[in-house]
Amino acid sequence: NAGVTQTPKFRVLKTGQSMTLLCAQDMNHEYMYWYRQDPGMGLRLIHYSVGEGTTAKGEVPDGYNVSRLKKQNFLLGLESAAPSQTSVYFCASTVVPTGNTIYFGEGSWLTVV
Amino acid sequence: AQKVTQAQTEISVVEKEDVTLDCVYETRDTTYYLFWYKQPPSGELVFLIRRNSFDEQNEISGRYSWNFQKSTSSFNFTITASQVVDSAVYFCALSEASYGKLTFGQGTILTVHP
């Protein structure tokens, strides 16, 4: 009964390094999302996907890329990390968005130095 | 564009006090969904409630209650007889119906002192 699993949970990166955050869900959900949480700003949507092979930009997509090659996985990539990308990243998923529960992962703490 | 505003940045109460967290939203959609999430110090997001735009019925769950008023675009959350374990950041969020994208308020930090 894993739900939404994010890896890694903690990571420290140097400016300019690249990394990928993995979100995996075992609930056969179509819709998946990546949010970032910064102090005093709540969560903001980075990218989302409405099904396997699809991706779309959210509110703050710059500096990030995503892929949804498999229905259960949604990857968030940082090609050249910047200190402004220091944040807590949350993945979420739902079966269809018409009022169903949106499940969140436990968060990934990323620090860029 | 959608917007969610939580009036209180921080609230501090003493145990057993009642506390209300305010949430006001803006949307042009006729169908939308409102949520409250709790984020304890451990960092995960805990789902508390979901309400759709056509259901203005207030809800009570134990010590928690929610007041949805479409006329004032508000979805307020009250904790009755607060406890130390209620200390957390609380987020109000709004979702549109098409893609389920959530717009969050900035959060209210609730501290309940013993």
Side-chain angles (χ1 to χ4, degrees), chain A residues 2 5-7 14 23 25 30 33 36 43 53-54 61 64 66 71-74 76 83 87 101 103-104 110 113:
Chain A
T5 303
Q6 295 180 224
T7 52
K14 293 184 179 179
C23 176
Q25 51 91 7
E30 290 291 339
Y33 313 85
R36 61 176 287 173
L43 281 75
T54 75
Y64 304 95
V66 287
K71 186 177 183 178
Q72 64 267 33
N73 295 337
F74 194 29
L76 178 70
S87 189
T101 299
Y103 295 83
F104 279 85
L110 176 65
V113 297

Side-chain angles (χ1 to χ4, degrees), chain A residues 4 6 23-24 32-35 74 89-93 103-105 107:
Chain A
V4 179
Q6 295 180 224
C23 176
M32 297 186 74
Y33 313 85
W34 275 109
Y35 292 88
F74 194 29
Y89 293 85
F90 286 94
C91 177
S93 72
Y103 295 83
F104 279 85

Side-chain angles (χ1 to χ4, degrees), chain B residues 17-82:
Chain B
E17 282 187 42
D18 298 347
V19 57
T20 295
L21 283 62
D22 298 326
C23 173
V24 173
Y25 63 92
E26 296 175 27
T27 181
R28 294 182 180 177
D29 295 335
T30 54
T31 301
Y32 53 88
Y33 302 90
L34 295 163
F35 299 79
W36 275 96
Y37 286 91
K38 174 183 179 179
Q39 187 175 45
S42 51
E44 74 274 20
L45 286 166
V46 178
F47 167 79
L48 295 177
I49 191 171
R50 175 184 64 250
R51 174 69 69 227
N52 74 56
S53 54
F54 299 108
D55 181 4
E56 289 193 67
Q57 200 169 19
N58 292 330
E59 181 156 339
I60 298 175
S61 176
R63 296 184 296 107
Y64 295 170
S65 62
W66 291 269
N67 179 264
F68 176 27
Q69 292 197 334
K70 212 168 176 179
S71 60
T72 56
S73 297
S74 65
F75 187 43
N76 298 335
F77 172 33
T78 297
I79 301 175
T80 302
S82 60

Side-chain angles (χ1 to χ4, degrees), chain A residues 31 33 35 37 40-45 48 50 57-59 88 90 94 97-107 109, chain B residues 6 9 33 35 37 39 41-47 50 52 89 91 95-107:
Chain A
Y31 292 74
Y33 313 85
Y35 292 88
Q37 180 181 12
M41 299 187 71
L43 281 75
R44 293 179 293 167
L45 182 64
Y48 65 102
V50 301
K57 294 181 180 180
E59 180 186 353
V88 182
F90 286 94
T94 190
T98 50
N100 287 291
T101 299
I102 300 173
Y103 295 83
F104 279 85
E106 294 184 339
W109 275 253
Chain B
Q6 294 181 244
T9 302
Y33 302 90
F35 299 79
Y37 286 91
Q39 187 175 45
S42 51
E44 74 274 20
L45 286 166
V46 178
F47 167 79
R50 175 184 64 250
N52 74 56
V89 183
F91 290 100
S95 166
E96 42 78 50
S98 301
Y99 301 108
K101 297 181 289 181
L102 286 165
T103 299
F104 283 82
Q106 81 278 16

